[in-house]
Amino acid sequence: MTTQIHPDGDVAVWRDKKRYLWLLGLVVPTMLFLILPIVWGLNRLGWHTGSQLPFWIGPILLYVLLPTLDLWVGSDGQNPPDEVMQELENDRFYRYSVYAYIPFQYASTILGAYLFTASDLSWLGFDGSLGWLGKIGVAMTVGVVGGVGINTAHELGHKRDELERWLSKITLAPVCYGHFYIEHNRGHHVRVATPEDPASSRFGETFWEFLPRTVFGSLRSAWSLEAQRLRRLNKSPWHLSNDVLNAWLMSVVFWAVLLAVFGPALIPLLIIQAIYGASLLESVNYLEHYGLVRQKLDNGRYERCTPQHSWNSDHMVTNLFLYHLQRHSDHHANPTRRYQTLRSMEGSPNLPAGYGSLIAVTYFPPVWRRLMDHRVLEHYDGDITRANIHPRVRGKVLARYGAVAA
């Protein structure tokens, strides 16, 4: 994209240097197809056990390639100027780049179902079916496709366009997380960075404590929000216009068709990919607001959400794969703003690395706390009482930092 702007009467040209790089996001939903020639080649060489390792491409991309590329490429540093925002928002190339994820996601899920259940993969060089090393790799890779698909649904679900809202639910169907469409938009964005938000992690709360709290809390919240909406319309919560129900129904129909085609042997893949895909979303939720809190005002309400209530990261490569999700502070300030116009905001606290590097760190609480706790304390100028502290450790945390907090 090239746009003419006129600061102080001079003409300058601004170009989105990432315009065509956004298509790299399509590597994720196509990677299961891309590794098939490698699998075939390894089998031709007689490396039949090693030929199953490429099916782990999803976790390899997530835990190895993205962190390495983030470290190598570094931060972005480019924000669109005000003069180009409207034109950039209206450029349909960017939204079509997101739409393209969806058919590839479904194709990869179907391919994964076939590879997981096929009894004869001789065309790939296997003697019969995949071993469990390959099958688990396929399920995990399908889970990565679905997990990143939740982020694609996140981008679409915030838009006012009815088509994009439906596409959001369609994208959530394979990973069986349709309630996210409701809870994220009408729950999380209202309660973000408060103790009441199940998707905002607390200082001292481990990821393994956060995971069940956010999964079940988000489910309850999504159902409650839709039930309240339908009761105002004098409808039963069990009416099909309930967006939680119709989103879940999409999952039921999709997987019922696949189970009818591929049989009950597909059930382990269904379960593994759904759990792993959802856990990837929740690990991102965990790191986006860790320890941050909006203060309560005298009227009992929370202060307005500002860039200081989200952890930000401007590492370019992960941003290309996640549609600028790491520019999270601007996203919460402007939820309907399209990904290509999101900016890295001044005043927001910054993560030490990109999401690609940090997702794995969230699994190890001592490492995570060593990395992040001092950053929360520094963000609040040494006053830990201003943080969102997990009740289980509140007394211990206040005792540890008591002299500073006082």
Side-chain angles (χ1 to χ4, degrees):
M1 171 184 173
T2 302
T3 302
Q4 300 292 324
I5 59 175
H6 305 270
D8 302 324
D10 295 326
V11 177
V13 177
W14 184 87
R15 292 183 177 88
D16 180 7
K17 65 182 182 181
K18 301 189 294 290
R19 179 180 175 86
Y20 297 107
L21 292 177
W22 292 113
L23 296 175
L24 288 173
L26 297 179
V27 168
V28 174
T30 58
M31 58 188 170
L32 203 50
F33 290 91
L34 296 174
I35 56 95
L36 293 181
I38 300 173
V39 173
W40 179 85
L42 291 173
N43 274 321
R44 290 285 290 178
L45 293 171
W47 300 346
H48 300 299
T49 300
S51 67
Q52 299 187 71
L53 295 178
F55 290 117
W56 289 79
I57 184 61
I60 291 169
L61 174 70
L62 183 66
Y63 301 124
V64 179
L65 297 179
L66 279 184
T68 302
L69 290 170
D70 265 344
L71 183 64
W72 179 45
V73 176
S75 296
D76 183 349
Q78 186 190 46
N79 280 339
D82 291 337
E83 292 85 353
V84 307
M85 293 290 276
Q86 191 62 46
E87 184 180 349
L88 201 57
E89 281 270 335
N90 294 332
D91 189 333
R92 289 186 172 271
F93 169 82
Y94 294 95
R95 66 186 72 180
Y96 294 153
S97 297
V98 178
Y99 297 171
Y101 190 98
I102 304 170
F104 288 121
Q105 175 191 5
Y106 273 76
S108 284
T109 305
I110 294 168
L111 174 63
Y114 164 72
L115 292 170
F116 194 90
T117 58
S119 59
D120 181 10
L121 289 174
S122 57
W123 62 277
L124 269 177
F126 292 105
D127 183 15
S129 62
L130 277 181
W132 278 104
L133 175 65
K135 287 185 176 184
I136 299 299
V138 167
M140 297 288 278
T141 293
V142 172
V144 172
V145 174
V148 177
I150 297 177
N151 179 63
T152 304
H154 166 263
E155 171 64 23
L156 295 166
H158 274 293
K159 304 306 175 283
R160 298 185 178 94
D161 185 275
E162 190 67 21
L163 170 64
E164 292 183 296
R165 289 172 177 265
W166 273 100
L167 288 175
S168 176
K169 287 189 280 188
I170 290 169
T171 310
L172 291 167
V175 78
C176 306
Y177 224 60
H179 62 281
F180 173 82
Y181 169 79
I182 294 299
E183 163 55 22
H184 181 82
N185 293 290
R186 287 162 44 199
H188 175 62
H189 271 264
V190 174
R191 299 181 297 238
V192 61
T194 70
E196 290 80 15
D197 181 29
S200 294
S201 61
R202 301 159 178 170
F203 185 93
E205 181 179 29
T206 71
F207 171 70
W208 305 109
E209 291 174 300
F210 172 77
L211 185 58
R213 181 172 74 84
T214 187
V215 169
F216 294 111
S218 295
L219 278 168
R220 286 193 298 268
S221 175
W223 183 263
S224 176
L225 288 166
E226 271 299 89
Q228 291 172 20
R229 180 182 72 85
L230 291 169
R231 288 192 184 104
R232 288 195 295 268
L233 299 174
N234 296 317
K235 293 182 179 180
S236 165
W238 296 98
H239 194 275
L240 196 56
S241 59
N242 182 324
D243 281 326
V244 175
L245 281 182
N246 58 53
W248 286 346
L249 183 59
M250 291 180 188
S251 297
V252 171
V253 170
F254 175 71
W255 284 106
V257 170
L258 290 192
L259 284 167
V261 173
F262 297 106
L266 185 62
I267 291 174
L269 178 136
L270 191 167
I271 295 171
I272 293 169
Q273 67 86 30
I275 292 175
Y276 183 50
S279 77
L280 293 178
L281 163 77
E282 300 303 352
S283 65
V284 169
N285 274 338
Y286 177 79
L287 60 85
E288 284 176 334
H289 304 283
Y290 177 76
L292 304 180
V293 68
R294 290 149 57 198
Q295 305 301 319
K296 264 193 176 180
L297 304 175
D298 292 339
N299 60 9
R301 295 185 177 185
Y302 287 100
E303 63 180 321
R304 182 179 177 274
C305 186
T306 71
Q308 298 185 5
H309 299 121
S310 305
W311 291 99
N312 222 52
S313 174
D314 205 25
H315 286 75
M316 181 182 286
V317 176
T318 301
N319 264 334
L320 289 171
F321 279 82
L322 296 182
Y323 306 120
H324 266 161
L325 181 66
Q326 297 179 132
R327 292 186 170 184
H328 209 62
S329 298
D330 194 8
H331 168 66
H332 272 281
N334 302 282
T336 61
R337 181 172 283 177
R338 293 189 181 274
Y339 69 95
Q340 67 269 24
T341 57
L342 290 174
R343 305 188 211 188
S344 192
M345 305 284 283
E346 290 186 12
S348 60
N350 280 286
L351 293 168
Y355 289 5
S357 303
L358 294 176
I359 288 174
V361 178
T362 66
Y363 304 156
F364 302 97
V367 181
W368 172 260
R369 293 200 64 184
R370 181 181 293 273
L371 188 69
M372 290 300 299
D373 281 9
H374 71 92
R375 287 181 165 84
V376 177
L377 190 64
E378 290 162 7
H379 178 64
Y380 288 116
D381 298 321
D383 186 356
I384 198 62
T385 63
R386 294 167 59 196
N388 184 10
I389 304 173
H390 188 47
R392 178 183 60 80
V393 298
R394 185 172 184 84
K396 190 180 297 184
V397 167
L398 291 180
R400 177 177 180 182
Y401 299 106
V404 178

